[in-house]
Amino acid sequence: MKRHLLIITTTLFSFLGFAQMNPDFSPNHEVTLCGPTDVFFVCTSPADPDNIWWDFGDGTTGMGLNPIHRYTTTGIYAVKMIVQKDNVKDSITKADFITLNPKPVSSFTTDITEVPKAYQRKFKFTGTSNADSIIQYDWMINGTSVPAKASLLYTFPSNGTYPVSLTVTNNKGCSDEFVDSILIQDEPDWPTATKEVLVSERLAVSINVTQPLVTITRGMQSTEEATINILDITGRVVYQTKMNKGEATLQVSTDALRPGAYIVELKSQSFTAAKRFDKIMM
């Protein structure tokens, strides 16, 4: 009889320990995320557990007191934690605990083919919304907010380099930002009827429309070594080469350039010159 009482007492203590564990973990509220994101979990009860197992709800599991788990697929997930202390196990499951919403991708292109005058550029949103509609477009040019939707026609005050950013927000409240640097180097009268805009008389650039070639000719400074850069309309260097001392003329293939506007920039020790040219669709 005493033996049976001992077994019953031990079992009773085990159940009491089980009931008093009250397992819990943080975050202590439901979590809504945008795009692939890490979540930091921490076991908050019981104190100093012997073992902890996690089921993150997306087909992956883990162990440890404070695991970090990355959610990558859009959906709603339950999270389960199992704890063990003094040979007693208990668990807690938080249903619909993690919500991962799709994040949009912001980007834009810069176009000069649709603008009527100098210093103007047309920007067009080219990002993706991950099947969720973009409900807000926030354009910033040189630190100033500019109201617009998916496209923006903007006139810059003068030549220079300007930061342009676009932040888009979808109907899930998720946002993304894209930032670019825009080079403006126009002539005030914007002679769009020609394919050449001369910025310096010491640099000549000719375009052969029957061949994908840019011919660069310099004058008195041919006694100096020079760096030749070809920049796209955003100011990025898309091609670079050298002109040696005594080399007055250089031909550059434009096979790799997409149709659009470009700047040829020549830098030597005594001067810098630049010239705009258009590569047209053949």
Side-chain angles (χ1 to χ4, degrees):
M1 181 67 178
K2 291 182 180 180
R3 181 182 179 188
H4 290 296
L5 285 174
L6 178 61
I7 294 174
I8 293 172
T9 303
T10 304
T11 305
L12 179 60
F13 284 154
S14 296
F15 276 110
L16 286 174
F18 185 91
Q20 293 172 355
M21 194 176 294
N22 295 323
D24 197 8
F25 62 84
S26 66
N28 55 9
H29 54 79
E30 293 180 352
V31 179
T32 300
L33 308 170
C34 292
T37 309
D38 292 331
V39 179
F40 296 80
F41 295 98
V42 178
C43 174
T44 57
S45 177
D48 300 322
D50 297 327
N51 292 294
I52 307 176
W53 298 271
W54 299 83
D55 184 339
F56 300 113
D58 59 353
T60 60
T61 58
M63 297 181 67
L65 184 66
N66 51 353
I68 302 173
H69 180 65
R70 187 170 185 84
Y71 288 90
T72 59
T73 304
T74 299
I76 301 175
Y77 303 100
V79 177
K80 181 179 182 180
M81 181 186 72
I82 303 172
V83 293
Q84 180 183 14
K85 186 170 184 177
D86 299 331
N87 295 321
V88 177
K89 286 185 180 180
D90 199 355
S91 67
I92 180 174
T93 299
K94 297 185 180 183
D96 300 336
F97 186 66
I98 302 292
T99 300
L100 187 65
N101 289 319
K103 183 178 179 179
V105 177
S106 179
S107 65
F108 58 80
T109 57
T110 309
D111 190 1
I112 67 167
T113 62
E114 300 180 26
V115 299
K117 60 182 181 179
Y119 310 128
Q120 276 195 345
R121 296 295 184 268
K122 187 170 186 178
F123 303 102
K124 294 181 180 179
F125 169 69
T126 56
T128 59
S129 62
N130 294 327
D132 288 297
S133 300
I134 300 297
I135 61 174
Q136 185 172 336
Y137 299 84
D138 295 309
W139 295 89
M140 293 282 291
I141 297 183
N142 207 28
T144 301
S145 176
V146 181
K149 293 295 186 180
S151 63
L152 167 65
L153 181 63
Y154 186 81
T155 302
F156 291 86
S158 61
N159 286 330
T161 302
Y162 299 86
V164 178
S165 69
L166 171 61
T167 301
V168 294
T169 305
N170 65 15
N171 58 8
K172 298 295 186 181
C174 298
S175 300
D176 187 45
E177 182 185 31
F178 178 76
V179 181
D180 207 345
S181 181
I182 306 302
L183 174 67
I184 306 297
Q185 201 164 15
D186 296 349
E187 286 293 307
D189 54 357
W190 191 249
T192 53
T194 69
K195 289 300 178 184
E196 295 182 343
V197 178
L198 201 61
V199 180
S200 171
E201 294 181 356
R202 291 182 289 183
L203 174 66
V205 177
S206 63
I207 307 300
N208 188 335
V209 296
T210 63
Q211 300 180 45
L213 291 172
V214 174
T215 301
I216 303 165
T217 304
R218 57 177 174 164
M220 296 176 59
Q221 285 72 27
S222 61
T223 57
E224 299 177 354
E225 184 181 88
T227 299
I228 302 296
N229 295 319
I230 296 182
L231 302 89
D232 65 16
I233 202 62
T234 70
R236 295 192 187 96
V237 176
V238 295
Y239 179 84
Q240 186 177 80
T241 189
K242 295 284 187 181
M243 290 186 76
N244 298 318
K245 293 180 180 180
E247 190 175 15
T249 301
L250 179 70
Q251 284 191 325
V252 176
S253 171
T254 62
D255 277 329
L257 302 182
R258 295 181 297 179
Y262 294 89
I263 301 292
V264 172
E265 180 183 62
L266 183 147
K267 290 185 176 182
S268 66
Q269 186 175 359
S270 63
F271 79 102
T272 297
K275 187 175 183 181
R276 173 184 174 273
F277 72 92
D278 293 340
K279 180 181 179 182
I280 62 176
M281 181 74 74
M282 298 302 296

